Amino acid sequence: MQTAIPCVLMRGGSSKGLYFLGSDLPTEEGLRSRVLLAAMGGGDPRQIDGMGGAHPLTSKIAIISSSDQPGVDVDYLFVQAVVGEDRVDLSPTCGNILAGVGPFALEKGLVTANGDMTVVRVHMVNTGKICELLIATPGGQVSYEGDAVIDGVPGTGSPIICDFPDAAGSSCGALLPTGNVRDRVDGVEVTCIDSGMPVVLLRASDFGLSGQETPAELNQNEALKSRLNGLRLKLGPMMNLGDVTDWVVPKMSLLSAAEKGGNISTRTFIPHVCHEAIGVLGAASVAAGCIIPGSICEDFTSTISGTAPTVSVEHPSGHFDVTMALNTEGEIPVIKKIGLLRTARTLMTGSVMIPASVWAGRSQNGSV
Ligand code: NQM
């Protein structure tokens, strides 16, 4: 006998994943992880016996519950099922999957629509930070149709505005977790930053790259990937993250001058595979680097001025615009708010079937 667990398959921004109500999953964390791994396809790189798409961007899970926190509607716990490994990682959050949390919460009745536009206040459990999602709810129903375009997703959809009132130091405790605007590790200059996502900013040219290579080209470059991971492992403790061997943060973003009319160009490893675009909060962290005087970004962008700049972050499949509200009185601007545009869509609702062996303490391949 298999166990049927209700879940929704959603595209959130340029990612895709399974969305669960917390109350439909086991409360014990080890068992819950085994159930989620079984749902996704366990440690198999092809995830053939599960719902995962054999890529980090399609091996994601959202667990959503009503929140007890004052002024907050729902708690959102993000779970990355690590492709090809029989484990989950709870260290990052995901700003793309986040976009689907509002529609899911409305459709599941955790939040009631409030006129034509509804604000869903989300507590991101992985980081403790808050996001306000503004969702079109004409006639009290979530709207998925609209004219918003996001790079990396074909067609158009209803806009979801994501506002982060206080993203800095989400996982590392500070916007500049090493305390420095630049650091040097193994002869490479970097800026370590956390404006919603821990990211290491590096110059593509320091690795003999133009920064315009395709993700496929970069993914074939084993020497590059190994060098980046070596730096990542050294920088993890310096960024207050400790040993990041098994973690998918920090992400590593190779920077170069913009070539498509934006402010800066990126190729981002998440952290072992090059992203076809860039993560939402990854982009927010690159954008934050662009407004910090003396950061590595300064080598490619002229300083972005004003108290409400929009930073256009180029990536392999387009660009990502990040709007910020800044207090520019001090030496380093203080980010008061970050705003981004996403779309999301429910793709399927139903139940995912969990093999009986999982409840007996074994993963799908029987290893745990
Ligand atoms: O940075 C990619 C994605 C993400 C995460 C990643 C994300 C974010 O594109 O907030 O959205 O694994 O870095 O979904």
Side-chain angles (χ1 to χ4, degrees), residues 103-124:
F104 178 89
L106 282 154
E107 292 200 346
K108 290 285 180 186
L110 299 180
V111 177
T112 307
N114 181 16
D116 287 349
M117 298 299 292
T118 302
V119 176
V120 179
R121 279 179 61 84
V122 181
H123 167 230
M124 297 182 283

Side-chain angles (χ1 to χ4, degrees), residues 12-16 55-58 60 76 78 80 92-98 124 164 196-199 248-249 251 268-271 273 275-285 320 340 342:
S14 52
S15 281
K16 186 157 63 176
H55 190 280
L57 299 185
T58 53
K60 300 190 167 199
Y76 151 54
F78 171 69
Q80 178 81 53
T93 187
C94 174
N96 271 307
I97 291 296
L98 168 68
M124 297 182 283
F164 301 88
M197 181 68 71
V199 179
V248 297
V249 291
K251 319 276 178 175
T268 305
F269 284 78
I270 58 171
V273 174
H275 204 306
E276 298 290 333
I278 187 169
V280 171
L281 292 160
S285 287
F320 201 124
L340 306 149
R342 296 280 84 189

